Amino acid sequence: MNSKASSLLSFAFVILFFSSASAFNITRILSHFPEFSSFNDYLTQTQLFQQINSRNTITVLVVNNNAIASLSGKPLDVIKKILSVHVVLDYYDVEKLTTLPKKTTVLTTLLQSSGLAVGQQGFLDVSLVNEGEIAFGSAVKGSSLNIKLVKPVLARPYNISVLEVTSTIVPPGIDQAAASPKSPPTAPATAPAHAPAKEPIAKAPAPTDEVAGDSPTESPSSAPEADAPNADAPNADAPNADDAAPVSSPVPSAADAAPTPTPSESGSSRTNVASGFLSVGVVMGLVALLVSF
């Protein structure tokens, strides 16, 4: 029993040893090289160090503080994309790069695996140029291989390789791809165009008010007409149809009453004539008095 327990314990220690040997921390590695302190700080700010440390096989292309100064002032999300292009998802040391089977080899970077790459932005081209120099560049069409390998910084075969390059690799259009989502504020402009359509609805009640105002004026005019037959109703209480004759009989009496105002009108005219004669007489008398004087 004791022998079995000791063998299991030793096997566990072996597993722990290999697992610890294969693990790495990129920020701790770069902390030993002050010339890469700015690159290391960007890895921390963008949280890229977590993605790098989670990989088992990786190659990091680092640049010194002077070369990375060109990224200052850029948005942090753009810097994250650019640094992601400097992380190759495979192990490449100087020996492996110098023995590439093809003249130009395409490398897959961390930006491609993130899903944020547009076109070929997530790939790098590496090639041997001049007399054995190793050059890197973006795989985007039209890009040039102008980034050169300076020196190896750290190599743990088939685990992690850190290589220094002359400058940052910025794929064409990576800045515009980050700024493009800010374009759609034009949609709300169409909303106010439909708002004035409600104004004609507010004008509709105006004619209804005029009709309502006319209805009370007509009702009093019809009311007196309705009262007239009601006043005559008591005289028509007789059950026989002969009572209709007396209702029509007063019509000739109304005709007789019509000429009566004529004498009153003639009397008033006569009084007016008499008063006219009196005024003429008074005027003549006054004239005679004046002549006598």
Side-chain angles (χ1 to χ4, degrees), residues 39 48 71 74 76-87 111 168-171 174-175:
F39 189 96
L48 278 177
L71 298 184
K74 291 184 181 294
L76 196 60
D77 57 340
V78 175
I79 295 176
K80 183 176 182 178
K81 289 182 179 182
I82 294 173
L83 294 187
S84 297
V85 178
H86 292 70
V87 181
L111 179 63
T168 55
I169 305 171
V170 182
I174 200 168
D175 293 340

Side-chain angles (χ1 to χ4, degrees), residues 36 39 60-64 67 86 134-136 147-151 153 163-169:
F36 305 130
F39 189 96
V60 182
L61 306 177
V62 299
V63 294
N64 61 32
H86 292 70
I134 300 173
F136 297 89
I147 310 299
K148 305 292 181 61
L149 174 66
V150 178
K151 67 177 186 293
V153 178
L163 305 173
E164 181 184 359
V165 294
T166 55
S167 182
T168 55
I169 305 171

Side-chain angles (χ1 to χ4, degrees), residues 87-173:
V87 181
V88 181
L89 302 182
D90 201 352
Y91 177 83
Y92 288 95
D93 54 15
V94 176
E95 183 181 357
K96 186 176 180 179
L97 290 173
T98 54
T99 57
L100 291 173
K102 298 180 181 179
K103 184 178 181 181
T104 301
T105 303
V106 178
L107 309 178
T108 304
T109 70
L110 190 61
L111 179 63
Q112 183 64 26
S113 66
S114 68
L116 300 176
V118 178
Q120 298 295 311
Q121 290 177 349
F123 298 97
L124 289 179
D125 286 341
V126 58
S127 180
L128 293 176
V129 296
N130 300 330
E131 296 179 359
E133 288 184 336
I134 300 173
F136 297 89
S138 174
V140 176
K141 187 177 181 180
S143 301
S144 57
L145 295 171
N146 56 355
I147 310 299
K148 305 292 181 61
L149 174 66
V150 178
K151 67 177 186 293
V153 178
L154 177 75
R156 291 180 185 173
Y158 309 108
N159 188 4
I160 183 172
S161 173
V162 180
L163 305 173
E164 181 184 359
V165 294
T166 55
S167 182
T168 55
I169 305 171
V170 182

